[in-house]
Amino acid sequence: MKQFVVDAFTDEVFKGNPAAVCIMDDWISEELMQNIAIENNLSETSFAVKQGNIYTIRWFTPGGEVDLCGHATLATAFVILNYYEKESVEVHFKTMDNTNLTVKEKNDLYEMEFPSYDLKKIEITEEIIDAIGIKPKEIYLARDLLCIFDDVNDVINFKPNLEKIEKLDGLLLHISAKGEKTDCVSRSFAPKLNIAEDQVCGSGHCHIVPYWTKILNKTDIIAYQASARGGTLYCRLSKDKVIISGKATLFSESKLNIKE
């Protein structure tokens, strides 16, 4: 089986968020996909099989399968459009829950259309303050937990206590503040998925972008993920969809020595 590793949301290797991508003729077992993800030890490994004109896509972290992943979708589209379907400019995906995703190549960007999460404002509890070590301005919950800070430096200098964060509600924890050079700055943590910090989290911005579009009263958001690797996301809120665009670059291409 061939595997690609792509750095997403960047045009430089060693930056952005790396994802492994396997384009297959037929599905392998869930156990094998999970073992490959564990062996890769990246935040995401994506698997895709073409059925008609649509690729069914699945994403596995070292800690299990997830229902949505932005950077690995971008990476998968990059691989398909550059190595499998060079004449095409868009890829149609279907998830396991029958959600349709489309990625379009536009100049040097790959544009993805994702569902927008409906944020519910929740109480700031002592448990949350203790877990993150600082009192946030506001907290919202959807699939993930979103904490808003007043000072961007609190986001940049944040030192997570992963053991405590793992006990909070939500699949991931995102922290965000208004940016100085970009509209917002964020970081994402996923100890429940055996990921300390997600370097650039596309699905996280399906939470982050709806918040900042409302606060800043604008539909177009330039977002920066302030992880060690860093990455920029060009986002737009369109009704119940979040349009996320980013760059991508190939790090490696290899053959996996595995048997079903």
Side-chain angles (χ1 to χ4, degrees):
M1 182 191 302
K2 184 178 287 189
Q3 177 174 273
F4 301 81
V5 175
V6 175
D7 290 335
F9 296 115
T10 182
D11 56 1
E12 299 180 58
V13 295
F14 308 125
K15 293 186 178 181
N17 203 356
V21 177
C22 298
I23 310 297
M24 308 178 297
D25 293 326
D26 298 292
W27 288 108
I28 57 178
S29 68
E30 288 188 4
E31 180 182 10
L32 183 52
M33 287 190 282
Q34 185 63 70
N35 284 336
I36 292 170
I38 292 170
E39 185 74 11
N40 285 332
N41 200 31
L42 297 172
S43 62
E44 300 284 350
T45 298
S46 71
F47 301 88
V49 172
K50 189 174 185 181
Q51 298 168 313
N53 294 320
I54 298 176
Y55 286 86
T56 300
I57 187 169
R58 299 177 71 173
W59 308 275
F60 285 79
T61 76
E65 186 172 9
V66 295
D67 63 344
L68 185 65
C69 177
H71 83 278
T73 302
L74 189 156
T76 305
F78 172 88
V79 169
I80 292 170
L81 293 174
N82 285 277
Y83 298 93
Y84 289 85
E85 300 188 21
K86 297 180 181 180
E87 303 302 316
S88 299
V89 293
E90 66 180 43
V91 186
H92 299 279
F93 294 107
K94 182 177 73 173
T95 69
M96 291 300 291
D97 63 1
N98 288 319
T99 299
N100 294 312
L101 305 173
T102 299
V103 182
K104 299 178 181 179
E105 184 177 2
K106 293 188 174 181
N107 298 319
D108 60 345
L109 294 175
Y110 295 85
E111 181 184 273
M112 304 177 287
E113 183 179 288
F114 281 166
S116 171
Y117 282 106
D118 185 19
L119 301 176
K120 178 184 177 182
K121 192 172 184 177
I122 65 171
E123 180 185 358
I124 301 173
T125 64
E126 290 300 323
E127 179 191 13
I128 293 174
I129 296 171
D130 178 64
I132 64 178
I134 184 172
K135 185 176 181 178
K137 177 183 178 180
E138 296 174 292
I139 302 178
Y140 295 85
L141 180 65
R143 184 196 73 174
D144 304 338
L145 193 66
L146 172 62
C147 293
I148 304 299
F149 293 170
D150 277 320
D151 190 341
V152 69
N153 290 308
D154 289 336
V155 175
I156 294 170
N157 299 322
F158 183 73
K159 298 186 185 304
N161 183 322
L162 297 174
E163 185 176 347
K164 290 183 177 181
I165 289 172
E166 188 175 7
K167 297 176 182 178
L168 297 177
D169 290 336
L171 186 62
L172 285 79
L173 168 69
H174 309 290
I175 60 172
S176 187
K178 188 177 183 297
E180 296 173 347
K181 297 181 180 180
T182 58
D183 292 306
C184 63
V185 173
S186 307
R187 292 174 67 189
S188 302
F189 307 92
K192 289 186 175 89
L193 299 171
N194 290 341
I195 301 166
E197 181 167 4
D198 197 359
Q199 297 294 312
V200 189
C201 186
S203 64
H205 283 77
C206 296
H207 302 70
I208 295 165
V209 170
Y211 174 83
W212 287 111
T213 55
K214 183 177 180 179
I215 296 299
L216 300 177
N217 194 28
K218 58 191 297 188
T219 56
D220 292 89
I221 298 291
I222 299 177
Y224 183 71
Q225 194 102 35
S227 63
R229 294 172 64 101
T232 302
L233 306 91
Y234 304 90
C235 309
R236 182 175 79 255
L237 185 66
S238 178
K239 296 182 179 179
D240 61 345
K241 302 291 184 182
V242 178
I243 314 301
I244 301 175
S245 299
K247 299 179 179 180
T249 189
L250 181 70
F251 171 68
S252 69
E253 181 179 346
S254 61
K255 181 180 179 182
L256 302 185
N257 185 28
I258 58 173
K259 295 180 181 179
E260 173 67 21

